[in-house]
Amino acid sequence: MYKKELAIIVQSIIASNTVDEHIKSAKELSGFYSKISTAQHSKNNETLIKGGIALSSSGAADCVDDYLRTVFFIKGIYKALTKLSNDFPERSVNILYAGCGPYATLILPLLSLFDEDRINAVLLDINAKSIESVHHLLSVIGLDKYQLQLIETDATTYTKPENFIIDLAISETMHYALTSEPQVAITRNIVSQLPAHGILIPQEIKIDLAYTFFDYEPSLKNAKQEVKGHKQMQPYPHNVFVDRLFTINKELFGGVINNSKIESNFYDLPANFDNHPDICIFTELKIFDNIELKTAESYITNPYCVVSLYSIKDYSGIQFVYDFSEIPKWTYTLKD
C-alpha cells in the first residue's frame, strides 16, 4: 500500500509545473514521511568533520520541508536516471548518494518508478540514526528488494569498491553560499572517483559576487509559508553584478583545485556605494539539464553578506577566499 502511495506522490512531483503544484506535491511527500517514520530524530547529533558540519538527523529530516529544493532535486534526479537507464539498457544504474539523511529523500521516492534490477545504489551517511531510519523506511514501504547498501561513513573520505562504477553521484549537503556544511569537500572526494560518463548532482553550483543592499534582496525565511518561484521575486534593483567567482562541477575538481582554498582576483571597490553598500555572495544551482534552483527559492540559495563597504572604504581593492579545509567559510583580503 505504501509503495503505491509513494509512487503516486512522486509522480505528482515529477508532473508539477507551477509553484502551487510544487508546494502541494512536496507537502504530500513530507506528510507521507511523517506518517510512516517512527524514528526519533535528534537535534544533538551534528558531526564536525574535516570539511564542514554534518547535520543532525533532525536537521536532515527537516530538509524535506524546503519545498522547492525537494521538488527540483527529485525532478532533476529522475531526469538523470531516465537518461542513464536509456544509455545503459543492459545493466543496472549505479548510484552513490552521499549524505542521505533519515529519509533518503532524493532517491527513495523514485525507486518505485524503476524495476528492482535497474537500480544499484550505495547510500552514505555519517549519522547512525539516519542509516537506521532509512533501513526502517525501506522495509515499511516495501522497497527492501532493491539493490541498496546503506553505509555509516564520512562521505568526504569514503572510497567506493573497485567494481562499483558510479553512473550517478548525488550529494545535497549544502548551506547558503556553501558555508558550514561539507558539500564541497564531499564533491571533491566523489568527483575523484567519477568516470567520464558519470553524472554529478547538482551538476553545477554557481557562486556569484555582487554589490547590493543585503536587507532588500529576496531571502527565504520560512519555506512552509512563503515559497515563491524566482519569477515572483524581485531582486534589489540597484544590485551590481561583479563576477562569477567559481562554479562547482566535475571540471573544477578535475585537477584545477587541489587544495582546500579557492581565491578570487582582486576587485576594485566602487567610489560611490550609497545604493549598494554590501558585498554579497549569490548561489544558483543547475541540478540537472534544465532543472535549476534560483536565488532565494530555497534556504540553500539565499544570499550571503560577506562585508559592508562602509567598513572597508579606505581600501582600493578586495579579494575573496573560500576555505573548506575545516568549517567552510568566506574571508577577504584588502589592497591599499
Side-chain angles (χ1 to χ4, degrees):
M1 181 183 75
Y2 287 139
K3 184 177 177 181
K4 184 177 180 181
E5 182 181 349
L6 182 58
I8 292 170
I9 292 170
V10 78
Q11 284 167 343
S12 74
I13 288 174
I14 292 164
S16 63
N17 285 313
T18 67
V19 172
D20 287 344
E21 289 171 349
H22 298 332
I23 294 170
K24 181 176 183 293
S25 59
K27 283 183 175 179
E28 289 174 349
L29 181 62
S30 178
F32 176 83
Y33 276 125
S34 297
K35 177 175 67 177
I36 67 169
S37 176
T38 59
Q40 298 297 312
H41 304 305
S42 173
K43 295 181 179 179
N44 301 317
N45 54 2
E46 286 187 342
T47 307
L48 177 62
I49 58 178
K50 195 173 180 61
I53 300 171
L55 288 181
S56 66
S57 54
S58 175
D62 290 343
C63 290
V64 71
D65 293 323
D66 191 347
Y67 295 139
L68 295 189
R69 168 169 44 167
T70 296
V71 167
F72 292 166
F73 266 90
I74 287 175
K75 279 175 169 285
I77 291 167
Y78 176 72
K79 201 166 189 177
L81 276 174
T82 301
K83 178 185 186 303
L84 289 165
S85 295
N86 293 333
D87 289 348
F88 302 103
E90 76 290 349
R91 65 168 177 83
S92 60
V93 175
N94 296 326
I95 304 166
L96 180 66
Y97 183 3
C100 64
Y103 293 158
T105 308
L106 304 185
I107 196 67
L108 189 152
L110 290 165
L111 291 177
S112 60
L113 304 184
F114 296 87
D115 291 339
E116 293 167 7
D117 62 349
R118 299 293 283 129
I119 300 293
N120 181 24
V122 175
L123 280 62
L124 313 177
D125 204 279
I126 201 167
N127 196 304
K129 287 292 185 183
S130 290
I131 294 295
E132 182 183 315
S133 171
V134 176
H135 272 298
H136 169 76
L137 292 175
L138 291 169
S139 176
V140 169
I141 297 169
L143 298 170
D144 43 0
K145 288 188 172 63
Y146 283 82
Q147 303 172 71
L148 306 176
Q149 295 181 64
L150 276 66
I151 302 173
E152 180 189 343
T153 189
D154 180 349
T156 67
T157 58
Y158 171 78
T159 302
K160 71 173 185 64
E162 283 190 17
N163 62 349
F164 186 79
I165 307 302
I166 304 171
D167 300 310
L168 176 63
I170 303 164
S171 185
E172 193 287 278
T173 47
M174 285 182 64
H175 197 53
Y176 50 73
L178 295 174
T179 57
S180 300
E181 293 185 47
Q183 176 77 31
V184 180
I186 290 173
T187 300
R188 180 172 64 176
N189 182 42
I190 290 174
V191 166
S192 69
Q193 304 176 63
L194 204 58
H197 78 271
I199 295 173
L200 176 67
I201 288 186
Q203 212 167 15
E204 294 183 343
I205 305 171
K206 304 165 188 175
I207 299 295
D208 291 338
L209 179 70
Y211 302 141
T212 187
F213 205 129
F214 178 68
D215 286 347
Y216 294 150
E217 287 286 357
S219 181
L220 181 61
K221 296 180 175 63
N222 188 332
K224 291 187 177 183
Q225 295 180 9
E226 58 178 31
V227 182
K228 295 181 179 180
H230 70 276
K231 292 179 181 178
Q232 298 173 275
M233 293 185 292
Q234 296 302 314
Y236 177 64
H238 301 292
N239 177 310
V240 177
F241 175 79
V242 179
D243 197 8
R244 173 149 294 161
L245 295 181
F246 56 83
T247 301
I248 299 291
N249 53 23
K250 282 173 64 175
E251 290 70 32
L252 183 69
F253 290 113
V256 180
I257 301 298
N258 295 315
N259 57 27
S260 299
K261 285 186 179 181
I262 303 176
E263 297 181 347
S264 77
N265 299 320
F266 274 91
Y267 299 99
D268 293 334
L269 293 172
N272 185 339
F273 48 81
D274 291 345
N275 288 327
H276 40 75
D278 301 311
I279 305 178
C280 296
I281 303 294
F282 288 80
T283 308
E284 291 192 351
L285 273 64
K286 178 181 178 182
I287 296 170
F288 181 70
D289 196 17
N290 63 341
I291 310 294
E292 297 182 320
L293 197 58
K294 302 287 191 180
T295 299
E297 288 190 318
S298 162
Y299 294 129
I300 64 176
T301 57
N302 273 339
Y304 172 73
C305 182
V306 179
V307 65
S308 167
L309 282 160
Y310 284 110
S311 66
I312 57 174
K313 60 184 178 180
D314 293 333
Y315 294 86
S316 64
I318 189 166
Q319 178 191 49
F320 297 91
V321 179
Y322 177 70
D323 185 344
F324 60 99
S325 56
E326 298 295 337
I327 298 176
K329 63 182 179 180
W330 288 92
T331 56
Y332 60 89
T333 302
L334 297 171
K335 181 173 68 175
D336 291 339

